[in-house]
Amino acid sequence: MADKLRTQQQLEALQNKYIGTGHADTTKHEWTSNIARDSYASFQGHPPLLHYMSVGMGQGMERTRMHCMESMVLPCGPAPQTEE
Amino acid sequence: MANIQQTQAFYSLTLESSSAPTAAVTCNAIPGLKNQDQQIFEARGQRLYLHRIIESEGRTEVKVSTVVEQDAFGIIRGVTAFRIPGTPTDQLIVSSDSGRLTMLNYDHAKNSFKRVHLETFGKSGVRRTVPGQYLASDPRGRCCMLASAEKNKVVYIVNRNSEGAIMISSPHEANQWASLCFAVCALDTGWEHPIFAALEVNYTDSEGDPSGDMYEQREKLLVYYTVDLGLNHVVRSWSDSVDYTANMIFGVPGGQDGPSGVIVCCEDRIYYRHDKSNPLCIPIPRRRGPTEDPNRKRCIISHCLHLSKARHEFFFLVQTEDGDVFKLNLEMGEDAQGRKTAQPERMTLKYYETFPIAKQMLLIRKGYIYIAAENGNSKLYHVNDLAEDPEVEPENNFSSDDVSADPAADYTPTYFQPRGLTFTSLAHDVASQHPLMRTKVDNLTGEDAPQIYAIQGTGNRSVFKTIRHGLETQEIVSSPLGNVPFDNLWSLRHRSSDEFHSYLLLSSSYGDKTIVLSIGDEVETAEDTTFLTNRATVTAQQMGDATLVQVHARGVHSILESGAINEWPAPAHRTIVAASANSRQLLLGLSSSELAFFFMGDDGVLNQLEEMPEMSGKVTALSVGATPRGQQQAKFAVVGCDDCTIRVLSIELDSPLEPKSVQALSAIPTSIEVVSQVDPASGTAVSYVHIGLQSGLYLRALIDEVTGELGEVRTKFLGARATRLFPVDVAEQEAVLACSSRPWLGYNHPQSGLHTLTPLVIAGGQQELEAARPFASEHLKGLCAIQGQNLLIFGIPSIEGRLSREEVGLRYTPRGMARHPWAPVWYVVQSEGNALSQATKQGLLPSSSTTAAAAAADGDGTAMDEDSADPEELEKHLGLSRAPGHWASCIQAIDPIDRKAATSTVELEDNEAALCVAVVAFESRNWEVYLAVGTGQHLRPGVVGTTGAEPKGFVHIYKLVEEGRGMEFVHKTPFDAPIYAIMPFHGRLAVGVGNELFVYDLGIKALLRKSRGTVVPNMITSLESQGNRIICGDVSESVTYVVYKPKHNRMIGFVDDTIQRWTTATTMVDYETVAGGDKFGNLWVVRCPEQASKESDEEGIGGYIVNERSYLNGAPYRLELRSHFFTQDIPMSVQRTALVAGGQEVLFWAGLQGTLGMLAPFVSREDVEFFGQLESQMRAEDAPLAGRDHLMYRGYYVPVKGVIDGDLCERFLRLGVDQKRKIAAEVEREVREIERKVQEMRTRVAF
């Protein structure tokens, strides 16, 4: 039992430290949102990629960056209704 | 560590590094310079640069000169600089993908960056929660903050200990779960506790609410983080909600200088916020004009601060996304006694200038503004006026009076009229290559080396570029010499102490004559000299104090200062075939293979050495080195004979003409020069012998000062003609000009310190030079040369770059290019998103204007300008009129050779955007050549799943007329999806539409479909073919090999890839192999398995391949990965081509951010092994500057395979002697040998 508790605590510590560490009840929405946030962070973190997108979209890099940041707030729309 | 790779390996080299700035900051990093003389610390791609602004006297010429550049082998994300109190120079901080904070210093003695601290705070790589995205440093130099896009922030406190060493604290974290960080800046708090401000959005509530209401109510917070220096921790001290559209914040000077606080930039508005003051708000003025949308909102994209610490005055310059720069002032309130308080009362904005859109705008205290441009050339502007007088252009003053600081409140937008440069002037243009959309290496001019044709830029600043390897020259004078072909010239001083040249001797061996020109205010024929003019001159030299010596075939003619003439006749039946002289010594080679040696005494008379040693063969060339400074005589002469040898002889008076060493050559030497040049490693002058051979080779060898032995031989093939050498002075250093089929300059590169051989590009003329000499007169300093039948005087403005560029302006962002099959004409398709098309613009312009030109002028508002600038110029300066959802597009035929302009233009309408282009000869039309352009209509890049018209596609067909210079519209055919790839295929047209591949033939009214196949999973973005094999690049799923079966008219995909590669460029290296690049910055080479290749080419359709079952939902076979390499820059073009005359073929690639690079195949396994060893040693000995692991970096997405990083190997040349020795010992080679091998890898195939 103590082992199980320790595992649980370790998992919680991991979940606290690293965003996106899953748990037994991770929903599809949580998972896809997490992936999408990772992607958006990567788009703006790699300067050539941000540049590529900006040229393609015909706007400045700052606007594209804001677009990526803003999309991170709710990348896959609101969570679906949970059935109680 | 043996390399066990069994297949072809490549050597990756960067030819021209990325020019796109990621971040830049002003600093005072070089010790001993004035505070005013600020430097620019800039990150471009994976390199760090330190630039200085060099002004000539009177500021007539200003240039941005690079002091040091260094490859960091990591993704650099931000830079900042700060001064720790009590230290003499600024510390430079770099945030990169290494998960570490790098603190650098500029090491003046070694001219390099020195790492002071490297602090690890997280995982490597660009990740959502690893800090590094944002970097801010306290203006008083006490701490700095790094933040990530989500959650994490770390603060490092730095200070100086009593020994003067810089101490850095352990990281202090300030993490906030589920909070997104939009921007970070440091507040100026004077000497109180440092505060960092951040724009944050917390998404916990939005995510938890299924109804979406919480998302609608989300807030953006301005948060203060106070660094408590006493308690050594960071606390979240204040937060308040701001306008949700806020994207940027920056600190306002505090302490004695101002009120402190932050400027919050939002869409259409700028706020001043602080916890101790009332907020202020001012709308960002919008552009006025008939083609401007009055409701369009701009945001601020860059800013810079000017702070006068002496006067406690400051202002900001802020730039909108249109490029308009406003001056932002804060005015303080006054108390009852009329003294200024620390409460800001109003903000004012004044329209200042319009500059190119900046990634970073820097104000330099010397009076310059540096624009590190997002796209195109970075620029340096000289500030003539700070627009401090409110009376000047009063209509451009805006103030925050009567504007509510509540984000929800209404406000009236303000408008202004943009105009040309008024308060500043362009001082320097930094040649850049980003964004580089496509390149193609081709030889249109018949030069011996091919040129690189490139399309670059965005908007109306786009250009079509012709890039050549070479230094640009500036023609000063070019005058015809008549019909006699002259083959050599000499510029002479009258006395050795003269500063300028007085005579110019031109000799023609064909006409057996010499003409003498005098150099004064003008260069004109001199009649009254005593030079011999009825003979060809072998050499001429000013010797002794004031003796002029002219050597001709029959003797030596010397003119003493008194005017007396001494003639030394050549011995009977012998002529002089070669001669060389310095200020004391003269060496002649006679037709009898004998040498005659003279020494000039102080009386100016030549004394002959009696001994006349005979050489082993006929003397073809010889040289005595220039007299070393402060000495009477040079030590060695080098004599070349027609038995393909050169001999080093001592020419000192105590051992005259004593042979020292012999060296065999591959061909007859035609020209020899001994030049003393600075050895960059030791910094001392050493003698090099430069040898030009009849075969066009050029050799350079070091002469040992003691023994006269030759060593360290470097070879380079210059061209098809025999190489002739001329010592010259360029940029205050001794250099050698080697004339073959092109002139080449050998010099020590100012940044790398390496001896570099670069061709000269003679503008608009014949590239061949017969001879060249230094030329100095009172008015100009440069080189004089014989160019065909002209005398050319020219200068070399800069020896820093290695490429010369010619430009032809384009209208919109170029997307694709294709060449006419035989005429030197390129077709460039251009399209610009969110911009008004020409037709829409014409419709919006006032109808009162009669001519189109006047209409354009009105549209841009020049009508209001008294000094009515050229409307086209003004439009170019201000940029295109923007409108969301609109597309402007055109197709242009460009003639870069003769007309150097666009020869015809077709503007597209109906919101179409041209995307790709191909020149097709249709078999059904008797191989007549047509231009096919693939377009997209109503494109919405980056927008997913919205309503509105679905994007469609068209293929336009144009007939090419007037030798390809004109285009006639034939017809256009509609498609269901935008066309991104198009290719000629067996006299027909292959078109990629979505995931389908079609083959079309030309009909009368439309294209006629001949074949169809669904071959890729998503969308075809590139097409290549050889024979019946077509390579389709998919937008996200790498490449698929397709075989076309003409008899059965079927297209069968038979091989695809195991990795999802977001393909941007592909090329077929051979029938089986494809090289390509992807959006994440990888270069890869994949190969078809032999089995699959054989099956696909089986005759008929009954074969195995058709019935082969699909494997894991893909093609039946999978490609083998041969090489993989992370370049960081996104490859936009890959091409197999040779780059230099006589060079082997390489894989040349060009990246979006302006990188030009190549993968050179290794020829021998020993080389692979050697460079593999060297690379791994270099990784250990010269670990990347920013702390990224090199192997991890090059294997960022996929482990690096089959590629050795030449850029890292070349770092070897810049190491210190001890490190070089250590590595040399490890790889069991000599240091010199490694250096030679590393340099030859580059010079053999590229530049």
Side-chain angles (χ1 to χ4, degrees), chain B residues 975-1023:
Chain B
F975 287 89
D976 291 340
I979 313 291
Y980 286 98
I982 198 166
M983 173 190 70
F985 181 68
H986 293 260
R988 290 166 169 181
L989 185 67
V991 185
V993 187
N995 62 352
E996 288 178 311
L997 179 63
F998 293 95
V999 175
Y1000 275 85
D1001 205 346
L1002 189 66
I1004 302 290
K1005 293 211 165 141
L1007 290 170
L1008 309 172
R1009 186 197 295 167
K1010 296 293 175 194
S1011 182
R1012 170 183 187 168
T1014 307
V1015 286
V1016 300
N1018 303 305
M1019 189 168 83
I1020 296 176
T1021 54
S1022 74
L1023 288 170

Coordinates of all heavy atoms in Angstrom, one line a residue, chain B residues 975-1023:
Chain B
F975 N -9.8 24.4 -61.3 CA -9.6 23.2 -60.5 C -10.2 23.3 -59.1 O -10.5 24.4 -58.7 CB -8.1 22.9 -60.3 CG -7.4 22.4 -61.5 CD1 -6.8 23.3 -62.4 CD2 -7.3 21.1 -61.8 CE1 -6.2 22.9 -63.6 CE2 -6.7 20.7 -63.0 CZ -6.1 21.6 -63.8
D976 N -10.4 22.2 -58.4 CA -11.1 22.2 -57.1 C -10.2 22.7 -56.0 O -10.7 23.0 -54.9 CB -11.6 20.8 -56.8 CG -12.7 20.4 -57.8 OD1 -13.3 21.4 -58.3 OD2 -13.0 19.2 -57.9
A977 N -8.9 22.7 -56.2 CA -8.0 23.1 -55.1 C -6.9 23.9 -55.6 O -6.6 23.9 -56.8 CB -7.5 21.8 -54.4
P978 N -6.3 24.7 -54.8 CA -5.2 25.5 -55.2 C -4.0 24.6 -55.8 O -3.8 23.5 -55.3 CB -4.7 26.3 -54.0 CG -5.8 26.2 -53.0 CD -6.6 24.9 -53.4
I979 N -3.3 25.2 -56.8 CA -2.3 24.4 -57.4 C -0.9 24.8 -56.8 O -0.5 26.0 -56.9 CB -2.2 24.7 -58.9 CG1 -3.6 24.6 -59.5 CG2 -1.3 23.7 -59.6 CD1 -4.2 23.3 -59.6
Y980 N -0.3 23.9 -56.1 CA 1.0 24.2 -55.5 C 2.2 23.6 -56.3 O 3.3 24.0 -56.0 CB 1.1 23.7 -54.1 CG 0.2 24.5 -53.2 CD1 -1.1 24.1 -52.8 CD2 0.7 25.7 -52.6 CE1 -1.9 24.9 -52.0 CE2 -0.1 26.5 -51.8 CZ -1.4 26.1 -51.5 OH -2.1 26.8 -50.6
A981 N 1.9 22.7 -57.2 CA 3.1 22.1 -58.0 C 2.7 21.8 -59.4 O 1.5 21.4 -59.7 CB 3.5 20.8 -57.3
I982 N 3.6 22.1 -60.3 CA 3.3 22.0 -61.7 C 4.7 21.7 -62.4 O 5.7 22.1 -61.9 CB 2.7 23.3 -62.2 CG1 2.0 23.2 -63.5 CG2 3.6 24.4 -62.2 CD1 1.1 24.4 -63.8
M983 N 4.6 20.8 -63.4 CA 5.9 20.4 -64.0 C 5.7 19.9 -65.4 O 4.7 19.3 -65.7 CB 6.4 19.2 -63.1 CG 7.6 18.5 -63.7 SD 8.0 17.0 -62.7 CE 6.6 16.0 -63.2
P984 N 6.6 20.2 -66.3 CA 6.5 19.6 -67.6 C 6.8 18.1 -67.6 O 7.7 17.7 -66.8 CB 7.6 20.4 -68.5 CG 8.5 20.9 -67.5 CD 7.8 21.1 -66.2
F985 N 6.1 17.3 -68.3 CA 6.3 15.9 -68.2 C 6.0 15.3 -69.6 O 4.8 15.3 -70.1 CB 5.3 15.3 -67.2 CG 5.5 13.9 -67.0 CD1 6.6 13.3 -66.4 CD2 4.4 13.0 -67.3 CE1 6.8 12.0 -66.2 CE2 4.6 11.6 -67.1 CZ 5.7 11.1 -66.6
H986 N 7.0 14.8 -70.3 CA 6.9 14.2 -71.6 C 6.0 15.0 -72.6 O 5.1 14.5 -73.2 CB 6.2 12.8 -71.4 CG 7.1 11.8 -70.7 ND1 7.9 10.9 -71.3 CD2 7.4 11.7 -69.4 CE1 8.6 10.2 -70.4 NE2 8.3 10.7 -69.2
G987 N 6.4 16.3 -72.7 CA 5.6 17.1 -73.7 C 4.2 17.4 -73.2 O 3.4 17.8 -74.1
R988 N 3.9 17.2 -72.0 CA 2.6 17.5 -71.4 C 2.9 18.3 -70.1 O 4.0 18.6 -69.8 CB 1.8 16.3 -71.2 CG 1.3 15.7 -72.5 CD 0.8 14.3 -72.2 NE 0.1 13.7 -73.3 CZ -0.4 12.5 -73.3 NH1 -0.3 11.8 -72.2 NH2 -1.0 12.0 -74.3
L989 N 1.8 18.4 -69.4 CA 1.9 19.2 -68.1 C 1.4 18.3 -67.0 O 0.3 17.8 -67.0 CB 1.0 20.4 -68.2 CG 1.1 21.4 -67.1 CD1 2.4 22.1 -67.0 CD2 0.0 22.5 -67.3
A990 N 2.3 18.1 -66.0 CA 1.9 17.4 -64.8 C 1.4 18.4 -63.7 O 2.2 19.4 -63.5 CB 3.0 16.5 -64.3
V991 N 0.3 18.2 -63.1 CA -0.3 19.2 -62.2 C -0.6 18.4 -60.9 O -1.3 17.4 -60.9 CB -1.5 19.8 -62.7 CG1 -2.0 20.9 -61.8 CG2 -1.3 20.4 -64.1
G992 N -0.2 18.9 -59.7 CA -0.6 18.4 -58.5 C -1.8 19.2 -58.0 O -1.7 20.4 -57.7
V993 N -3.0 18.5 -57.8 CA -4.2 19.2 -57.3 C -4.6 18.4 -56.0 O -5.0 17.3 -56.1 CB -5.3 19.1 -58.3 CG1 -6.5 20.0 -57.8 CG2 -4.9 19.6 -59.6
G994 N -4.4 19.1 -54.9 CA -4.7 18.4 -53.6 C -3.8 17.2 -53.5 O -2.6 17.2 -53.7
N995 N -4.5 16.0 -53.3 CA -3.7 14.8 -53.2 C -3.6 14.0 -54.5 O -3.2 12.9 -54.6 CB -4.2 13.9 -52.1 CG -5.6 13.4 -52.4 OD1 -6.3 13.9 -53.3 ND2 -6.1 12.5 -51.5
E996 N -4.1 14.6 -55.6 CA -4.1 13.9 -56.9 C -3.1 14.5 -57.9 O -2.8 15.7 -57.9 CB -5.5 14.1 -57.5 CG -6.5 13.2 -56.8 CD -7.9 13.4 -57.4 OE1 -8.3 14.5 -57.6 OE2 -8.5 12.3 -57.7
L997 N -2.6 13.6 -58.7 CA -1.6 14.0 -59.7 C -2.3 13.8 -61.1 O -2.8 12.8 -61.4 CB -0.4 13.1 -59.6 CG 0.7 13.4 -60.6 CD1 1.3 14.8 -60.4 CD2 1.8 12.3 -60.4
F998 N -2.3 14.9 -61.9 CA -2.9 14.8 -63.2 C -1.8 15.1 -64.3 O -0.8 15.8 -64.0 CB -3.9 15.9 -63.4 CG -5.1 15.7 -62.5 CD1 -5.2 16.4 -61.3 CD2 -6.2 14.9 -62.9 CE1 -6.3 16.2 -60.4 CE2 -7.3 14.8 -62.1 CZ -7.4 15.4 -60.9
V999 N -2.1 14.5 -65.5 CA -1.3 14.9 -66.6 C -2.3 15.5 -67.6 O -3.3 14.9 -67.9 CB -0.6 13.7 -67.2 CG1 0.2 14.1 -68.5 CG2 0.4 13.2 -66.2
Y1000 N -1.9 16.7 -68.1 CA -2.8 17.5 -69.0 C -2.1 17.8 -70.3 O -0.9 17.9 -70.3 CB -3.2 18.8 -68.3 CG -4.4 18.7 -67.4 CD1 -4.2 18.3 -66.1 CD2 -5.7 18.9 -67.9 CE1 -5.3 18.2 -65.2 CE2 -6.7 18.8 -67.0 CZ -6.6 18.4 -65.7 OH -7.6 18.3 -64.9
D1001 N -2.9 17.9 -71.3 CA -2.4 18.3 -72.6 C -3.1 19.7 -72.9 O -4.1 20.0 -72.3 CB -2.6 17.3 -73.7 CG -1.6 17.5 -74.8 OD1 -0.9 18.5 -74.9 OD2 -1.5 16.5 -75.6
L1002 N -2.5 20.4 -73.9 CA -3.0 21.7 -74.2 C -4.2 21.6 -75.2 O -4.0 21.0 -76.2 CB -1.9 22.6 -74.8 CG -2.2 24.1 -74.9 CD1 -2.4 24.7 -73.6 CD2 -1.1 24.8 -75.7
G1003 N -5.3 22.2 -74.9 CA -6.4 22.2 -75.8 C -6.7 23.6 -76.3 O -5.9 24.5 -76.0
I1004 N -7.7 23.8 -77.0 CA -8.0 25.1 -77.6 C -8.5 26.1 -76.5 O -8.1 27.2 -76.4 CB -9.0 25.0 -78.8 CG1 -8.5 24.1 -79.8 CG2 -9.3 26.4 -79.3 CD1 -7.4 24.6 -80.7
K1005 N -9.5 25.6 -75.7 CA -10.1 26.4 -74.8 C -9.7 26.1 -73.3 O -10.0 26.9 -72.4 CB -11.6 26.3 -74.9 CG -12.1 26.9 -76.2 CD -13.5 27.4 -76.0 CE -13.9 28.3 -77.2 NZ -15.3 28.0 -77.6
A1006 N -9.2 25.0 -73.1 CA -8.8 24.6 -71.8 C -7.7 23.5 -71.9 O -7.4 23.0 -73.0 CB -10.0 24.1 -71.0
L1007 N -7.2 23.1 -70.7 CA -6.3 22.0 -70.7 C -7.1 20.7 -70.8 O -8.3 20.7 -70.3 CB -5.5 22.0 -69.4 CG -4.5 23.1 -69.2 CD1 -4.0 23.1 -67.8 CD2 -3.3 22.9 -70.2
L1008 N -6.6 19.7 -71.4 CA -7.3 18.4 -71.5 C -6.7 17.4 -70.7 O -5.5 17.1 -70.8 CB -7.3 18.0 -73.0 CG -7.7 19.1 -74.0 CD1 -7.5 18.6 -75.4 CD2 -9.2 19.4 -73.8
R1009 N -7.5 16.7 -69.8 CA -6.9 15.8 -68.9 C -6.6 14.5 -69.6 O -7.4 13.9 -70.4 CB -8.0 15.5 -67.8 CG -7.3 14.6 -66.7 CD -8.4 13.9 -65.9 NE -9.1 14.9 -65.1 CZ -10.2 14.7 -64.5 NH1 -10.8 13.5 -64.5 NH2 -10.8 15.6 -63.8
K1010 N -5.4 14.0 -69.4 CA -4.9 12.7 -70.0 C -4.8 11.6 -69.0 O -4.9 10.5 -69.4 CB -3.6 13.0 -70.7 CG -3.7 14.0 -71.9 CD -4.5 13.5 -73.0 CE -4.7 14.5 -74.1 NZ -5.7 14.2 -75.0
S1011 N -4.4 11.9 -67.8 CA -4.2 10.9 -66.9 C -4.4 11.4 -65.5 O -4.3 12.6 -65.2 CB -2.8 10.4 -67.0 OG -2.5 9.3 -66.1
R1012 N -4.7 10.5 -64.6 CA -5.0 10.9 -63.2 C -4.7 9.8 -62.2 O -4.8 8.6 -62.5 CB -6.6 11.1 -63.1 CG -7.1 11.3 -61.7 CD -8.6 11.5 -61.8 NE -9.0 11.9 -60.5 CZ -10.3 12.3 -60.2 NH1 -11.1 12.4 -61.2 NH2 -10.6 12.6 -59.0
G1013 N -4.2 10.2 -61.1 CA -3.8 9.2 -60.1 C -3.8 9.8 -58.7 O -3.4 10.9 -58.5
T1014 N -4.3 9.1 -57.7 CA -4.2 9.6 -56.3 C -3.0 8.9 -55.7 O -3.0 7.7 -55.6 CB -5.5 9.2 -55.5 OG1 -6.6 9.6 -56.3 CG2 -5.5 9.8 -54.2
V1015 N -2.0 9.8 -55.4 CA -0.7 9.2 -55.1 C -0.2 9.6 -53.7 O 0.6 8.8 -53.1 CB 0.3 9.5 -56.1 CG1 0.1 8.7 -57.4 CG2 0.3 11.0 -56.4
V1016 N -0.6 10.7 -53.2 CA 0.0 11.1 -51.9 C -1.2 11.3 -50.9 O -2.4 11.4 -51.3 CB 0.8 12.4 -51.9 CG1 1.9 12.3 -52.9 CG2 -0.1 13.6 -52.3
P1017 N -0.9 11.3 -49.6 CA -2.0 11.3 -48.6 C -2.6 12.7 -48.5 O -3.8 12.8 -48.3 CB -1.3 11.0 -47.2 CG 0.1 10.4 -47.6 CD 0.4 11.0 -48.9
N1018 N -1.9 13.8 -48.6 CA -2.5 15.1 -48.3 C -2.5 16.1 -49.5 O -3.6 16.3 -50.1 CB -1.8 15.8 -47.1 CG -1.9 14.9 -45.9 OD1 -2.9 14.5 -45.5 ND2 -0.7 14.6 -45.4
M1019 N -1.4 16.6 -49.8 CA -1.4 17.6 -50.8 C 0.0 17.6 -51.5 O 1.0 17.7 -50.8 CB -1.6 19.0 -50.2 CG -1.8 20.1 -51.1 SD -2.4 21.5 -50.2 CE -0.9 22.2 -49.6
I1020 N 0.0 17.7 -52.8 CA 1.3 17.7 -53.5 C 1.9 19.1 -53.5 O 1.2 20.0 -53.9 CB 1.1 17.2 -55.0 CG1 0.6 15.7 -55.0 CG2 2.4 17.3 -55.8 CD1 0.3 15.2 -56.4
T1021 N 3.1 19.2 -53.0 CA 3.7 20.5 -53.0 C 5.0 20.6 -53.9 O 5.5 21.7 -54.1 CB 4.2 20.9 -51.6 OG1 5.0 19.9 -51.1 CG2 3.0 21.1 -50.7
S1022 N 5.5 19.5 -54.3 CA 6.6 19.6 -55.3 C 6.6 18.4 -56.2 O 6.1 17.3 -55.8 CB 7.9 19.7 -54.5 OG 8.2 18.4 -54.0
L1023 N 7.1 18.6 -57.4 CA 7.1 17.5 -58.4 C 8.5 17.5 -59.1 O 9.1 18.6 -59.3 CB 6.1 17.8 -59.5 CG 4.6 17.5 -59.1 CD1 3.7 18.1 -60.2 CD2 4.3 16.1 -58.9

